Amino acid sequence: MVFYQKNWEDTIARRKSQMEEVQDELIHRLTIGRSAAQKKFQVPRQNVPVINITYDSTPEEVKTWLQSKGFNPVTVNSLGVLNGAQLFSLNKDELRTVCPEGARVFSQITVQKAALEVGLSTRGGGSHIAESRDCRVKTLQTVVLSALAYVFFFQS
């Protein structure tokens, strides 16, 4: 009976030790996150104008957009003859068939379609980005608080 009780006490002591380690790690990570969030990170911006396309874009505008996205000349020449509506109508497999960068073109077209659905213009907009960021921050805060509650509940 004494042996069994001794093992049980050792198990409890190990669990408390592990929980303390988890708490220390969590506090450390939260502290690092806060200090990193307080630092101002600056991303150097190039003075390249943002070029967007719509369903009404001309072939010349589509070609300019493809070039601004850094697609190779084969892709630009293959797709630069299409207007916006024609380009938006192509699916991923069709784009892969027509040009070597088909998957990447499809990804960029998807971004353009999403921007049109949100109603972004070529100048301004972007409030949905802030809303999305705020939502992610709130979700992360909820997860962290839940983790802390869980850790403190099982410590007691």
mmCIF file of all heavy atoms in Angstrom, residues 45-53 61 64-65 68-69 108 111-112 115 120-125:
data_model
loop_
_atom_site.group_PDB
_atom_site.id
_atom_site.type_symbol
_atom_site.label_atom_id
_atom_site.label_comp_id
_atom_site.label_asym_id
_atom_site.label_seq_id
_atom_site.Cartn_x
_atom_site.Cartn_y
_atom_site.Cartn_z
ATOM 1 N N ARG A 45 8.637 49.398 -49.750
ATOM 2 C CA ARG A 45 7.687 49.379 -50.859
ATOM 3 C C ARG A 45 8.342 49.960 -52.104
ATOM 4 O O ARG A 45 9.026 50.964 -52.047
ATOM 5 C CB ARG A 45 6.452 50.206 -50.523
ATOM 6 C CG ARG A 45 5.733 49.761 -49.295
ATOM 7 C CD ARG A 45 4.686 48.790 -49.643
ATOM 8 N NE ARG A 45 4.002 48.381 -48.425
ATOM 9 C CZ ARG A 45 3.176 47.403 -48.381
ATOM 10 N NH1 ARG A 45 2.926 46.728 -49.468
ATOM 11 N NH2 ARG A 45 2.591 47.077 -47.265
ATOM 12 N N GLN A 46 8.090 49.287 -53.191
ATOM 13 C CA GLN A 46 8.571 49.826 -54.448
ATOM 14 C C GLN A 46 7.510 50.785 -54.980
ATOM 15 O O GLN A 46 6.324 50.631 -54.711
ATOM 16 C CB GLN A 46 8.804 48.700 -55.452
ATOM 17 C CG GLN A 46 9.882 47.733 -55.027
ATOM 18 C CD GLN A 46 10.023 46.586 -56.009
ATOM 19 O OE1 GLN A 46 9.228 46.438 -56.929
ATOM 20 N NE2 GLN A 46 11.026 45.770 -55.807
ATOM 21 N N ASN A 47 7.943 51.745 -55.730
ATOM 22 C CA ASN A 47 7.015 52.713 -56.285
ATOM 23 C C ASN A 47 6.436 52.219 -57.609
ATOM 24 O O ASN A 47 6.411 52.944 -58.590
ATOM 25 C CB ASN A 47 7.700 54.070 -56.474
ATOM 26 C CG ASN A 47 7.997 54.741 -55.158
ATOM 27 O OD1 ASN A 47 7.304 54.493 -54.181
ATOM 28 N ND2 ASN A 47 9.019 55.569 -55.130
ATOM 29 N N VAL A 48 5.962 50.994 -57.593
ATOM 30 C CA VAL A 48 5.354 50.413 -58.775
ATOM 31 C C VAL A 48 3.841 50.563 -58.628
ATOM 32 O O VAL A 48 3.275 50.156 -57.614
ATOM 33 C CB VAL A 48 5.730 48.914 -58.908
ATOM 34 C CG1 VAL A 48 5.060 48.289 -60.114
ATOM 35 C CG2 VAL A 48 7.233 48.759 -58.980
ATOM 36 N N PRO A 49 3.189 51.146 -59.596
ATOM 37 C CA PRO A 49 1.744 51.318 -59.483
ATOM 38 C C PRO A 49 1.037 49.957 -59.478
ATOM 39 O O PRO A 49 1.458 49.022 -60.151
ATOM 40 C CB PRO A 49 1.364 52.128 -60.725
ATOM 41 C CG PRO A 49 2.475 51.905 -61.679
ATOM 42 C CD PRO A 49 3.704 51.649 -60.856
ATOM 43 N N VAL A 50 -0.029 49.879 -58.691
ATOM 44 C CA VAL A 50 -0.811 48.651 -58.629
ATOM 45 C C VAL A 50 -1.697 48.598 -59.868
ATOM 46 O O VAL A 50 -2.413 49.544 -60.175
ATOM 47 C CB VAL A 50 -1.679 48.624 -57.355
ATOM 48 C CG1 VAL A 50 -2.566 47.400 -57.335
ATOM 49 C CG2 VAL A 50 -0.802 48.679 -56.126
ATOM 50 N N ILE A 51 -1.621 47.487 -60.562
ATOM 51 C CA ILE A 51 -2.414 47.323 -61.771
ATOM 52 C C ILE A 51 -3.392 46.179 -61.524
ATOM 53 O O ILE A 51 -2.995 45.068 -61.167
ATOM 54 C CB ILE A 51 -1.516 46.997 -62.992
ATOM 55 C CG1 ILE A 51 -0.559 48.154 -63.235
ATOM 56 C CG2 ILE A 51 -2.362 46.708 -64.212
ATOM 57 C CD1 ILE A 51 0.485 47.881 -64.293
ATOM 58 N N ASN A 52 -4.670 46.466 -61.690
ATOM 59 C CA ASN A 52 -5.706 45.459 -61.557
ATOM 60 C C ASN A 52 -6.417 45.310 -62.886
ATOM 61 O O ASN A 52 -6.421 46.227 -63.709
ATOM 62 C CB ASN A 52 -6.708 45.853 -60.475
ATOM 63 C CG ASN A 52 -6.087 45.808 -59.085
ATOM 64 O OD1 ASN A 52 -5.341 44.895 -58.776
ATOM 65 N ND2 ASN A 52 -6.381 46.804 -58.271
ATOM 66 N N ILE A 53 -7.035 44.173 -63.055
ATOM 67 C CA ILE A 53 -7.851 43.964 -64.248
ATOM 68 C C ILE A 53 -9.268 43.632 -63.824
ATOM 69 O O ILE A 53 -9.515 43.189 -62.703
ATOM 70 C CB ILE A 53 -7.277 42.851 -65.158
ATOM 71 C CG1 ILE A 53 -7.116 41.539 -64.396
ATOM 72 C CG2 ILE A 53 -5.983 43.274 -65.795
ATOM 73 C CD1 ILE A 53 -6.741 40.345 -65.271
ATOM 74 N N GLU A 61 -4.560 45.940 -71.561
ATOM 75 C CA GLU A 61 -4.535 46.016 -70.099
ATOM 76 C C GLU A 61 -4.181 44.668 -69.480
ATOM 77 O O GLU A 61 -3.440 44.600 -68.496
ATOM 78 C CB GLU A 61 -5.887 46.505 -69.563
ATOM 79 C CG GLU A 61 -6.177 47.957 -69.915
ATOM 80 C CD GLU A 61 -7.612 48.369 -69.607
ATOM 81 O OE1 GLU A 61 -8.516 47.510 -69.650
ATOM 82 O OE2 GLU A 61 -7.817 49.563 -69.326
ATOM 83 N N THR A 64 -0.451 44.218 -69.904
ATOM 84 C CA THR A 64 0.262 45.051 -68.936
ATOM 85 C C THR A 64 0.192 44.428 -67.544
ATOM 86 O O THR A 64 1.179 44.401 -66.807
ATOM 87 C CB THR A 64 -0.328 46.476 -68.909
ATOM 88 O OG1 THR A 64 -0.253 47.023 -70.221
ATOM 89 C CG2 THR A 64 0.406 47.369 -67.938
ATOM 90 N N TRP A 65 -0.980 43.922 -67.181
ATOM 91 C CA TRP A 65 -1.165 43.270 -65.874
ATOM 92 C C TRP A 65 -0.264 42.040 -65.756
ATOM 93 O O TRP A 65 0.399 41.852 -64.736
ATOM 94 C CB TRP A 65 -2.638 42.899 -65.687
ATOM 95 C CG TRP A 65 -2.918 42.151 -64.433
ATOM 96 C CD1 TRP A 65 -3.015 42.680 -63.173
ATOM 97 C CD2 TRP A 65 -3.121 40.747 -64.298
ATOM 98 N NE1 TRP A 65 -3.275 41.681 -62.270
ATOM 99 C CE2 TRP A 65 -3.352 40.484 -62.926
ATOM 100 C CE3 TRP A 65 -3.151 39.688 -65.186
ATOM 101 C CZ2 TRP A 65 -3.599 39.203 -62.437
ATOM 102 C CZ3 TRP A 65 -3.401 38.411 -64.703
ATOM 103 C CH2 TRP A 65 -3.618 38.184 -63.343
ATOM 104 N N SER A 68 3.237 43.165 -65.242
ATOM 105 C CA SER A 68 3.452 43.731 -63.904
ATOM 106 C C SER A 68 3.553 42.639 -62.842
ATOM 107 O O SER A 68 4.182 42.840 -61.801
ATOM 108 C CB SER A 68 2.328 44.705 -63.544
ATOM 109 O OG SER A 68 1.133 44.014 -63.239
ATOM 110 N N LYS A 69 2.946 41.494 -63.098
ATOM 111 C CA LYS A 69 3.019 40.373 -62.163
ATOM 112 C C LYS A 69 4.288 39.542 -62.363
ATOM 113 O O LYS A 69 4.542 38.598 -61.621
ATOM 114 C CB LYS A 69 1.789 39.455 -62.310
ATOM 115 C CG LYS A 69 0.486 40.130 -61.937
ATOM 116 C CD LYS A 69 0.481 40.498 -60.474
ATOM 117 C CE LYS A 69 -0.793 41.198 -60.064
ATOM 118 N NZ LYS A 69 -0.769 41.701 -58.713
ATOM 119 N N GLN A 108 -3.309 34.234 -59.493
ATOM 120 C CA GLN A 108 -3.407 35.690 -59.596
ATOM 121 C C GLN A 108 -4.793 36.121 -60.096
ATOM 122 O O GLN A 108 -5.332 37.142 -59.649
ATOM 123 C CB GLN A 108 -2.322 36.239 -60.524
ATOM 124 C CG GLN A 108 -0.928 36.136 -59.952
ATOM 125 C CD GLN A 108 -0.757 36.999 -58.719
ATOM 126 O OE1 GLN A 108 -1.273 38.094 -58.630
ATOM 127 N NE2 GLN A 108 -0.031 36.481 -57.747
ATOM 128 N N VAL A 111 -7.138 36.021 -57.195
ATOM 129 C CA VAL A 111 -6.975 37.212 -56.359
ATOM 130 C C VAL A 111 -7.723 38.391 -56.977
ATOM 131 O O VAL A 111 -8.412 39.145 -56.269
ATOM 132 C CB VAL A 111 -5.470 37.552 -56.176
ATOM 133 C CG1 VAL A 111 -5.290 38.916 -55.538
ATOM 134 C CG2 VAL A 111 -4.776 36.471 -55.376
ATOM 135 N N GLN A 112 -7.613 38.561 -58.283
ATOM 136 C CA GLN A 112 -8.295 39.661 -58.955
ATOM 137 C C GLN A 112 -9.809 39.521 -58.851
ATOM 138 O O GLN A 112 -10.517 40.491 -58.585
ATOM 139 C CB GLN A 112 -7.888 39.730 -60.433
ATOM 140 C CG GLN A 112 -6.488 40.228 -60.667
ATOM 141 C CD GLN A 112 -6.295 41.640 -60.164
ATOM 142 O OE1 GLN A 112 -6.955 42.580 -60.599
ATOM 143 N NE2 GLN A 112 -5.386 41.800 -59.230
ATOM 144 N N ALA A 115 -10.884 40.444 -55.391
ATOM 145 C CA ALA A 115 -10.833 41.898 -55.217
ATOM 146 C C ALA A 115 -12.063 42.548 -55.852
ATOM 147 O O ALA A 115 -12.623 43.494 -55.297
ATOM 148 C CB ALA A 115 -9.553 42.459 -55.816
ATOM 149 N N LEU A 120 -12.992 46.279 -54.423
ATOM 150 C CA LEU A 120 -11.797 47.114 -54.385
ATOM 151 C C LEU A 120 -11.619 47.798 -55.732
ATOM 152 O O LEU A 120 -11.812 47.204 -56.781
ATOM 153 C CB LEU A 120 -10.560 46.256 -54.103
ATOM 154 C CG LEU A 120 -10.484 45.615 -52.729
ATOM 155 C CD1 LEU A 120 -9.250 44.752 -52.642
ATOM 156 C CD2 LEU A 120 -10.438 46.677 -51.660
ATOM 157 N N SER A 121 -11.226 49.026 -55.688
ATOM 158 C CA SER A 121 -10.908 49.733 -56.911
ATOM 159 C C SER A 121 -9.399 49.706 -57.098
ATOM 160 O O SER A 121 -8.664 49.216 -56.255
ATOM 161 C CB SER A 121 -11.408 51.175 -56.823
ATOM 162 O OG SER A 121 -10.690 51.854 -55.819
ATOM 163 N N THR A 122 -8.941 50.237 -58.197
ATOM 164 C CA THR A 122 -7.498 50.258 -58.430
ATOM 165 C C THR A 122 -6.807 51.227 -57.486
ATOM 166 O O THR A 122 -5.616 51.126 -57.273
ATOM 167 C CB THR A 122 -7.174 50.666 -59.881
ATOM 168 O OG1 THR A 122 -7.798 51.928 -60.132
ATOM 169 C CG2 THR A 122 -7.663 49.630 -60.847
ATOM 170 N N ARG A 123 -7.551 52.158 -56.891
ATOM 171 C CA ARG A 123 -6.983 53.084 -55.909
ATOM 172 C C ARG A 123 -7.789 52.987 -54.623
ATOM 173 O O ARG A 123 -8.962 53.270 -54.608
ATOM 174 C CB ARG A 123 -7.068 54.522 -56.416
ATOM 175 C CG ARG A 123 -6.273 54.756 -57.641
ATOM 176 C CD ARG A 123 -6.366 56.226 -58.020
ATOM 177 N NE ARG A 123 -5.721 56.444 -59.279
ATOM 178 C CZ ARG A 123 -6.357 56.704 -60.405
ATOM 179 N NH1 ARG A 123 -7.644 56.792 -60.439
ATOM 180 N NH2 ARG A 123 -5.677 56.900 -61.519
ATOM 181 N N GLY A 124 -7.124 52.591 -53.543
ATOM 182 C CA GLY A 124 -7.799 52.579 -52.247
ATOM 183 C C GLY A 124 -8.445 51.258 -51.930
ATOM 184 O O GLY A 124 -8.082 50.214 -52.449
ATOM 185 N N GLY A 125 -9.448 51.314 -51.075
ATOM 186 C CA GLY A 125 -10.106 50.100 -50.617
ATOM 187 C C GLY A 125 -9.229 49.395 -49.610
ATOM 188 O O GLY A 125 -8.346 49.969 -49.005
#
